[in-house]
Amino acid sequence: MAQAQVGTVAVLDKALDWRIDDAAVPYPAALARMDERVAAIRAGRAPETVWLLEHPPLYTAGTSARAGDLPAAPSLPVFTSGRGGQFTYHGPGQRVAYVMLDLARRGADVRRFVGDLETWVIAALARFNVKGERRPGRVGVWIDRARDKGPGREDKIAAIGVRVRHWVTLHGIALNVDPDLRHFAGIVPCGIADARFGTTSLADLGIHVQMAEVDAALKAAFTDSFGPR
């Protein structure tokens, strides 16, 4: 699998390893690589890691996935993920960030970690003059679409699903840059069926950027969200 960039930045008192793949990574291969890295982090043999990548078109099922949220004959391959949450879509044009941090060194607070992921995405979106927001009871990052779609309309631009093993985190975020949004219609995304809530992307909002620009924004915003405590 092709790897475009590897870099490190100082976070806490150890290096943070940034890995960026420039070719779509098959989902099973990604799970295996995450498992290996998380075991190495826990054993002290590897630094904390943020891995930025894309997947081929597919659906993943979290630990709370409901069978009724997926058609009997799904249009894309479906994988069990082990992360929290329900069904979501991954595919080209979506920046997936797998965040592998040692929470034992960062306060051992899973709820705060999820909040930090949201803060991170919101800060990165702000660099493109996009206002991402939190919503109580709906994990992820949302865009208010009342102005162009009507009162009460909101679209999700980034999904969050995590798993924690021995206080080391797995999985992370999926930020829609320019994916084929039609694929989200093949599932009930994140179990949210309310017609007021849809899915959007930077391109759908009229923001056309390269993935490298998104990666730069995520890197620049990371320390503000996850830096020294």
Side-chain angles (χ1 to χ4, degrees), residues 15-41:
L16 175 71
D17 190 9
W18 285 89
R19 295 181 175 268
I20 304 176
D21 273 275
D22 60 2
V25 180
Y27 197 70
L31 294 182
R33 284 178 62 181
M34 265 197 295
D35 285 344
E36 291 176 2
R37 177 51 64 110
V38 165
I41 292 170

Short mmCIF file of all heavy atoms in Angstrom, two decimals, residues 15-41:
data_model
loop_
_atom_site.label_atom_id
_atom_site.label_comp_id
_atom_site.label_asym_id
_atom_site.label_seq_id
_atom_site.Cartn_x
_atom_site.Cartn_y
_atom_site.Cartn_z
N ALA A 15 7.00 11.89 20.93
CA ALA A 15 6.63 12.27 19.58
C ALA A 15 5.27 11.70 19.23
O ALA A 15 4.88 10.64 19.69
CB ALA A 15 7.68 11.77 18.60
N LEU A 16 4.54 12.44 18.40
CA LEU A 16 3.32 11.94 17.80
C LEU A 16 3.63 11.60 16.35
O LEU A 16 4.16 12.43 15.62
CB LEU A 16 2.22 13.00 17.87
CG LEU A 16 0.91 12.65 17.16
CD1 LEU A 16 0.17 11.57 17.93
CD2 LEU A 16 0.04 13.88 17.00
N ASP A 17 3.30 10.41 15.95
CA ASP A 17 3.61 9.93 14.61
C ASP A 17 2.43 10.20 13.68
O ASP A 17 1.33 9.69 13.92
CB ASP A 17 3.91 8.43 14.68
CG ASP A 17 4.48 7.89 13.39
OD1 ASP A 17 4.81 8.68 12.49
OD2 ASP A 17 4.60 6.65 13.28
N TRP A 18 2.64 11.02 12.65
CA TRP A 18 1.61 11.26 11.64
C TRP A 18 1.88 10.38 10.44
O TRP A 18 2.97 10.41 9.89
CB TRP A 18 1.64 12.72 11.18
CG TRP A 18 1.06 13.67 12.17
CD1 TRP A 18 1.71 14.31 13.17
CD2 TRP A 18 -0.31 14.09 12.24
NE1 TRP A 18 0.84 15.10 13.88
CE2 TRP A 18 -0.41 15.00 13.32
CE3 TRP A 18 -1.45 13.80 11.49
CZ2 TRP A 18 -1.62 15.61 13.66
CZ3 TRP A 18 -2.65 14.41 11.83
CH2 TRP A 18 -2.72 15.30 12.91
N ARG A 19 0.88 9.62 10.02
CA ARG A 19 1.02 8.76 8.84
C ARG A 19 -0.11 9.08 7.87
O ARG A 19 -1.27 9.16 8.27
CB ARG A 19 0.99 7.28 9.23
CG ARG A 19 2.21 6.91 10.08
CD ARG A 19 2.25 5.44 10.47
NE ARG A 19 3.50 5.17 11.16
CZ ARG A 19 4.60 4.75 10.58
NH1 ARG A 19 4.59 4.51 9.27
NH2 ARG A 19 5.71 4.55 11.25
N ILE A 20 0.25 9.28 6.60
CA ILE A 20 -0.73 9.64 5.58
C ILE A 20 -0.57 8.69 4.40
O ILE A 20 0.52 8.60 3.82
CB ILE A 20 -0.55 11.09 5.12
CG1 ILE A 20 -0.63 12.05 6.32
CG2 ILE A 20 -1.60 11.45 4.07
CD1 ILE A 20 -0.37 13.50 5.96
N ASP A 21 -1.64 7.99 4.05
CA ASP A 21 -1.61 7.09 2.90
C ASP A 21 -2.27 7.75 1.71
O ASP A 21 -3.35 8.35 1.83
CB ASP A 21 -2.31 5.78 3.24
CG ASP A 21 -1.38 4.77 3.88
OD1 ASP A 21 -0.70 4.05 3.14
OD2 ASP A 21 -1.31 4.73 5.12
N ASP A 22 -1.64 7.60 0.54
CA ASP A 22 -2.18 8.23 -0.66
C ASP A 22 -2.92 7.26 -1.55
O ASP A 22 -3.33 7.62 -2.65
CB ASP A 22 -1.06 8.94 -1.44
CG ASP A 22 0.04 7.99 -1.90
OD1 ASP A 22 -0.08 6.77 -1.64
OD2 ASP A 22 1.01 8.46 -2.53
N ALA A 23 -3.11 6.03 -1.12
CA ALA A 23 -3.91 5.05 -1.84
C ALA A 23 -4.96 4.50 -0.89
O ALA A 23 -4.73 4.41 0.32
CB ALA A 23 -3.04 3.91 -2.37
N ALA A 24 -6.13 4.16 -1.43
CA ALA A 24 -7.21 3.65 -0.59
C ALA A 24 -6.76 2.38 0.13
O ALA A 24 -6.20 1.46 -0.48
CB ALA A 24 -8.44 3.37 -1.45
N VAL A 25 -7.00 2.33 1.43
CA VAL A 25 -6.57 1.21 2.26
C VAL A 25 -7.76 0.28 2.51
O VAL A 25 -8.79 0.73 3.02
CB VAL A 25 -6.02 1.71 3.61
CG1 VAL A 25 -5.58 0.54 4.47
CG2 VAL A 25 -4.86 2.68 3.39
N PRO A 26 -7.67 -1.01 2.15
CA PRO A 26 -8.76 -1.94 2.44
C PRO A 26 -9.08 -1.96 3.93
O PRO A 26 -8.16 -1.88 4.76
CB PRO A 26 -8.22 -3.29 1.96
CG PRO A 26 -7.17 -2.93 0.94
CD PRO A 26 -6.55 -1.66 1.44
N TYR A 27 -10.35 -2.07 4.26
CA TYR A 27 -10.73 -1.94 5.66
C TYR A 27 -10.11 -3.01 6.56
O TYR A 27 -9.59 -2.68 7.64
CB TYR A 27 -12.26 -1.97 5.79
CG TYR A 27 -12.74 -1.45 7.12
CD1 TYR A 27 -12.64 -0.09 7.43
CD2 TYR A 27 -13.27 -2.31 8.07
CE1 TYR A 27 -13.07 0.39 8.65
CE2 TYR A 27 -13.71 -1.82 9.30
CZ TYR A 27 -13.61 -0.48 9.59
OH TYR A 27 -14.03 -0.01 10.80
N PRO A 28 -10.11 -4.30 6.17
CA PRO A 28 -9.47 -5.29 7.04
C PRO A 28 -7.99 -5.00 7.29
O PRO A 28 -7.49 -5.22 8.40
CB PRO A 28 -9.67 -6.61 6.29
CG PRO A 28 -10.87 -6.37 5.42
CD PRO A 28 -10.76 -4.94 5.01
N ALA A 29 -7.30 -4.51 6.27
CA ALA A 29 -5.88 -4.17 6.44
C ALA A 29 -5.72 -3.02 7.43
O ALA A 29 -4.79 -3.01 8.25
CB ALA A 29 -5.26 -3.81 5.10
N ALA A 30 -6.64 -2.06 7.37
CA ALA A 30 -6.57 -0.94 8.31
C ALA A 30 -6.78 -1.41 9.74
O ALA A 30 -6.08 -0.98 10.66
CB ALA A 30 -7.61 0.11 7.94
N LEU A 31 -7.75 -2.30 9.95
CA LEU A 31 -7.99 -2.82 11.30
C LEU A 31 -6.76 -3.54 11.83
O LEU A 31 -6.38 -3.38 13.00
CB LEU A 31 -9.19 -3.76 11.30
CG LEU A 31 -10.56 -3.15 11.00
CD1 LEU A 31 -11.64 -4.22 11.09
CD2 LEU A 31 -10.88 -2.00 11.95
N ALA A 32 -6.13 -4.34 10.97
CA ALA A 32 -4.94 -5.09 11.40
C ALA A 32 -3.80 -4.14 11.76
O ALA A 32 -3.11 -4.35 12.77
CB ALA A 32 -4.51 -6.05 10.29
N ARG A 33 -3.60 -3.11 10.96
CA ARG A 33 -2.52 -2.17 11.24
C ARG A 33 -2.79 -1.37 12.51
O ARG A 33 -1.87 -1.08 13.29
CB ARG A 33 -2.31 -1.24 10.05
CG ARG A 33 -1.59 -1.92 8.88
CD ARG A 33 -1.42 -1.02 7.69
NE ARG A 33 -0.62 0.18 7.97
CZ ARG A 33 -0.36 1.11 7.06
NH1 ARG A 33 -0.84 1.00 5.83
NH2 ARG A 33 0.37 2.16 7.37
N MET A 34 -4.06 -1.01 12.72
CA MET A 34 -4.40 -0.32 13.97
C MET A 34 -4.12 -1.21 15.18
O MET A 34 -3.57 -0.76 16.18
CB MET A 34 -5.87 0.10 13.97
CG MET A 34 -6.10 1.51 13.50
SD MET A 34 -7.74 2.12 13.97
CE MET A 34 -8.79 1.04 13.03
N ASP A 35 -4.53 -2.47 15.09
CA ASP A 35 -4.30 -3.40 16.20
C ASP A 35 -2.82 -3.51 16.53
O ASP A 35 -2.42 -3.49 17.70
CB ASP A 35 -4.86 -4.79 15.87
CG ASP A 35 -6.38 -4.85 15.95
OD1 ASP A 35 -6.98 -3.94 16.56
OD2 ASP A 35 -6.96 -5.81 15.41
N GLU A 36 -2.00 -3.62 15.50
CA GLU A 36 -0.55 -3.72 15.71
C GLU A 36 0.00 -2.46 16.37
O GLU A 36 0.80 -2.53 17.32
CB GLU A 36 0.15 -3.94 14.36
CG GLU A 36 -0.10 -5.30 13.73
CD GLU A 36 0.53 -5.42 12.36
OE1 GLU A 36 1.20 -4.44 11.93
OE2 GLU A 36 0.36 -6.46 11.72
N ARG A 37 -0.41 -1.30 15.88
CA ARG A 37 0.12 -0.06 16.43
C ARG A 37 -0.36 0.16 17.87
O ARG A 37 0.41 0.60 18.72
CB ARG A 37 -0.27 1.11 15.54
CG ARG A 37 0.18 2.50 16.04
CD ARG A 37 1.68 2.56 16.41
NE ARG A 37 2.57 2.34 15.33
CZ ARG A 37 3.34 3.26 14.78
NH1 ARG A 37 3.29 4.51 15.21
NH2 ARG A 37 4.17 2.94 13.81
N VAL A 38 -1.61 -0.14 18.15
CA VAL A 38 -2.13 0.05 19.50
C VAL A 38 -1.39 -0.86 20.49
O VAL A 38 -1.04 -0.44 21.60
CB VAL A 38 -3.65 -0.20 19.54
CG1 VAL A 38 -4.15 -0.38 20.96
CG2 VAL A 38 -4.37 0.97 18.87
N ALA A 39 -1.11 -2.09 20.10
CA ALA A 39 -0.36 -2.99 20.97
C ALA A 39 1.05 -2.44 21.21
O ALA A 39 1.57 -2.51 22.34
CB ALA A 39 -0.28 -4.38 20.35
N ALA A 40 1.65 -1.87 20.17
CA ALA A 40 3.00 -1.32 20.31
C ALA A 40 2.99 -0.07 21.20
O ALA A 40 3.91 0.14 22.00
CB ALA A 40 3.58 -1.00 18.94
N ILE A 41 1.96 0.76 21.07
CA ILE A 41 1.86 1.95 21.93
C ILE A 41 1.72 1.52 23.38
O ILE A 41 2.38 2.07 24.27
CB ILE A 41 0.66 2.82 21.50
CG1 ILE A 41 0.92 3.43 20.11
CG2 ILE A 41 0.39 3.93 22.52
CD1 ILE A 41 -0.29 4.10 19.50
#
